[in-house]
Amino acid sequence: MSHQHRVFFLRRILDNLTDAVLLFDASLSLVYINTPGEVLFAVSARQILGLKAQQVFLFSDQGIESDLLRAMESGVTLTRRNILLSLPVHSVTVNASMTPVLDDTAPSLLVQLQQVDRHLRISMEEQLVAQQNASKMLLRGLAHEIKNPLGGLRGAAQLLDGELIDAELREYTRIIIDESDRLQSLVDRMLASNKPALKSLLNIHKVLERVRQLVQVEVASTVKLIRDYDPSIPLVYGDSDQLIQAILNVVRNAAQAVMSHGEIIIRTRVCRQVTLNNKRHPLAAKIDVIDNGPGVKPELLNQIFYPMVTGRAEGTGLGLSIAQTLISQHGGLIECASNPGHTIFSVFLPVETQHE
């Protein structure tokens, strides 16, 4: 293998790592950064190469520069954990390994940045996926256990209704029939998310506009629905009806939280190098539904995607569970973070081609 091909091969390996890799020369000027590093710092290599370490970590923990110098001078690898990188675009928490590279040419320093909050997020995703699988099994089992006796109960009530002459007694059979129909509707909603998806390439903003129109006629005029769309999001491969239903459930949940006064923001952004359902995606569409309602109770926050879990007395607890199932069928995920006055549900959908 020629030197040129070897360099190309090594760069390709580094670009496919999940961690950011930076190489500084003896004067602590940046001479190399891999693709995950560009994503982490939200800059291109052309913009950042040649900058001093002090400039690279300008908005971050000031102790990093002294650690880099100490590692370079001592020749010993140093590791620092939970460093806050306050970057112009966003803030992230990382673990940093600083390894001196000593060869016959000139000393240099290899810095590997492992995004801690990313690993925590992946762990949360795995928990949500396991939760969703358990929910699906529970729903299927519960639905089948209810359906059979429910049909017999309704049939018996209908036969009895035909035999009774007393109108007051027939009122009781009518209640049985009506309640049976209500339970049947509930079971059908439980199983609705198990229908196969009919996917095609679609504009996610058309889906969101349909959702916004549906919710707009349901909420009070004092509730503001605000759009904050990123037009650069590529087409998403999915089932339009299922995505409308899933996101509609999330936005309706926000509308119920703000009640008659409040604000709901529907925001879209592009995310890069996102891990969803244990699969890494170069691009993903992120849909945030943000409301300024009272927030989710802390004891419910880790359970809200379970069926039958709700913070409202009149709620069925199926809306978010069904939404999570539908988004999961698209290879995506829904997350929630909540504080009083600021609740955000984030829907992640991978941006893939049809054959993938």
Side-chain angles (χ1 to χ4, degrees), residues 203-218:
N203 184 334
I204 194 61
H205 294 124
K206 288 186 177 180
V207 170
L208 297 179
E209 278 302 285
R210 179 60 177 157
V211 170
R212 190 185 65 82
Q213 291 167 0
L214 290 170
V215 175
Q216 189 72 72
V217 299
E218 298 175 357

Side-chain angles (χ1 to χ4, degrees), residues 74-216:
S74 66
V76 177
T77 298
L78 296 180
T79 300
R80 282 196 61 193
R81 301 188 182 278
N82 297 322
I83 301 171
L84 180 65
L85 296 184
S86 299
L87 305 172
V89 178
H90 59 282
S91 295
V92 294
T93 303
V94 298
N95 292 335
S97 295
M98 308 164 210
T99 304
V101 180
L102 305 174
D103 55 28
D104 296 333
T105 55
S108 55
L109 188 67
L110 187 70
V111 178
Q112 183 176 356
L113 302 176
Q114 183 184 65
Q115 195 172 333
V116 176
D117 38 13
R118 177 179 176 275
H119 286 273
L120 291 174
R121 183 175 170 277
I122 291 173
S123 177
M124 288 176 60
E125 287 175 1
E126 291 174 348
Q127 182 181 353
L128 284 171
V129 170
Q131 182 187 94
Q132 189 58 39
N133 289 335
S135 297
K136 286 168 68 175
M137 293 178 64
L138 173 64
L139 286 177
R140 287 174 182 171
L142 184 61
H144 288 297
E145 287 296 324
I146 291 174
K147 255 190 165 183
N148 292 333
L150 192 60
L153 182 66
R154 190 185 192 283
Q158 283 180 308
L159 290 174
L160 183 60
D161 185 71
E163 296 293 329
L164 293 174
I165 300 174
D166 191 326
E168 289 187 6
L169 292 178
R170 293 183 68 187
E171 182 66 25
Y172 292 123
T173 58
R174 290 294 177 188
I175 291 174
I176 296 172
I177 293 170
D178 290 345
E179 287 301 292
S180 297
D181 290 340
R182 186 179 65 82
L183 288 175
Q184 181 65 52
S185 175
L186 187 64
V187 171
D188 290 340
R189 286 175 61 197
M190 282 182 172
L191 296 175
S193 57
N194 292 321
K195 293 180 180 178
L198 300 174
K199 296 182 178 180
S200 61
L201 288 172
L202 53 86
N203 184 334
I204 194 61
H205 294 124
K206 288 186 177 180
V207 170
L208 297 179
E209 278 302 285
R210 179 60 177 157
V211 170
R212 190 185 65 82
Q213 291 167 0
L214 290 170
V215 175
Q216 189 72 72

